[in-house]
Amino acid sequence: MSSQALLSTLRHHDGSELYLSTNSPKLGDRVTFKFRAGAEFPIEKGIDIGFESAKDFINLKTSFSSFWYAFPYTGKTSFIFDILMHIAKQGKKLCVFSPEGGSKNSLVTYLVQVYLGKKLHGKNAQKATDEEWIEALTFIDNSFVILDPQLVGANKIEFSAQEMFKQVYMAQKTYGWKIDFLLCDPYNMLSKTKEERTKTLADYTLESLTYINHVAREMDLHVMIAMHLRHIVTGK
């Protein structure tokens, strides 16, 4: 299905400037929009993210997706993991696919630092007691599932969006949990299926993200999709 055909099947307004500040934005432009919501679609506040300054701008609810993008080395991943830990401390279960964070052990160590609020490695490292380590590891074990597929080598798997959701489903069955939040960081590390590799980038991206949104609704979880910006926007 082409991107235009797929768009025609989705509920959307006509994109007129009655709703959008501009219907032909350029990269780097600020776009504002208005929308109408009937009584059957009340606007509800999502979970507390732990950042008072951002609560009016970020609204995370299950059955939805959110997109997190920034230039590399600007703190995007740290920001996201701080939010995930705050969500976990509210009793939610989370699943993480973050291959750029290193191995599963590396990710667990990073989560321990986020949980404790301490820097445990490198320059100016802080100390953590055995009791703190045990407390943090126990909490992480009871709150997080880390997806750590083998992406290179003879035993690598095709870790597509479909495979990612399959593993989330299997984790729910294995642990008897209801996964509430899923992080995919970064989105471009997902493998493309044989069929997807034949599509244009625009068609692949639209269909892939539409599929992710659909599964988020079906599984009643929130999917956080992180990605890198590639080009710096200079003056107009």
Side-chain angles (χ1 to χ4, degrees):
M1 182 182 293
S2 70
S3 57
Q4 290 300 318
L6 183 59
L7 278 172
S8 69
T9 68
L10 305 176
R11 290 191 300 172
H12 61 287
H13 60 67
D14 62 4
S16 71
E17 295 192 8
L18 176 64
Y19 298 98
L20 294 172
S21 58
T22 173
N23 59 6
S24 301
K26 298 181 176 61
L27 185 63
D29 285 352
R30 182 181 179 86
V31 179
T32 58
F33 67 93
K34 301 175 183 178
F35 65 92
R36 295 177 294 175
E40 68 274 24
F41 297 108
I43 300 176
E44 300 175 349
K45 189 63 180 173
I47 194 166
D48 179 21
I49 63 169
F51 285 89
E52 186 68 21
S53 60
K55 70 177 185 179
D56 292 332
F57 304 96
I58 300 175
N59 194 27
L60 306 182
K61 299 186 289 186
T62 55
S63 298
F64 289 88
S65 300
S66 57
F67 303 90
W68 306 71
Y69 49 90
F71 294 111
Y73 308 111
T74 55
K76 168 177 54 64
T77 297
S78 296
F79 181 53
I80 291 173
F81 273 90
D82 280 343
I83 290 175
L84 292 181
M85 188 59 69
H86 189 79
I87 291 172
K89 290 181 178 180
Q90 296 173 71
K92 302 300 183 182
K93 305 297 186 184
L94 304 97
C95 199
V96 173
F97 170 62
S98 186
E100 286 189 334
S103 66
K104 182 176 181 179
N105 288 340
S106 297
L107 266 179
V108 169
T109 300
Y110 182 70
L111 286 169
V112 167
Q113 294 182 91
V114 177
Y115 177 84
L116 296 177
K118 292 184 175 183
K119 180 184 177 183
L120 301 178
H121 301 286
K123 187 177 180 180
N124 300 320
Q126 298 167 284
K127 302 273 187 190
T129 65
D130 290 345
E131 290 75 15
E132 286 178 318
W133 271 97
I134 292 171
E135 177 187 333
L137 290 170
T138 300
F139 178 83
I140 292 165
D141 193 47
N142 290 328
S143 303
F144 288 87
V145 172
I146 297 176
L147 303 181
D148 188 27
Q150 186 165 338
L151 301 178
V152 296
N155 298 318
K156 71 176 182 179
I157 67 171
E158 294 290 331
F159 196 78
S160 61
Q162 292 87 341
E163 179 64 24
M164 178 176 68
F165 285 118
K166 178 182 176 181
Q167 292 200 17
V168 173
Y169 175 79
M170 293 304 299
Q172 291 188 135
K173 299 285 284 185
T174 300
Y175 296 109
W177 291 0
K178 164 63 179 71
I179 301 294
D180 302 295
F181 287 80
L182 166 64
L183 169 65
C184 176
D185 179 17
Y187 167 73
N188 63 299
M189 289 290 286
L190 291 175
S191 302
K192 293 182 180 180
T193 64
K194 184 176 181 180
E195 179 184 359
E196 288 171 338
R197 286 193 288 269
T198 66
K199 300 180 184 298
T200 66
L201 179 60
D203 284 344
Y204 162 73
T205 302
L206 178 60
E207 293 185 25
S208 174
L209 295 181
T210 300
Y211 168 76
I212 289 172
N213 290 336
H214 173 75
V215 178
R217 290 195 300 270
E218 291 297 311
M219 296 184 70
D220 188 32
L221 56 80
H222 185 97
V223 183
M224 302 172 71
I225 301 169
M227 58 194 78
H228 299 308
L229 293 176
R230 296 181 58 188
H231 302 293
I232 297 176
V233 179
T234 56
K236 296 179 182 180

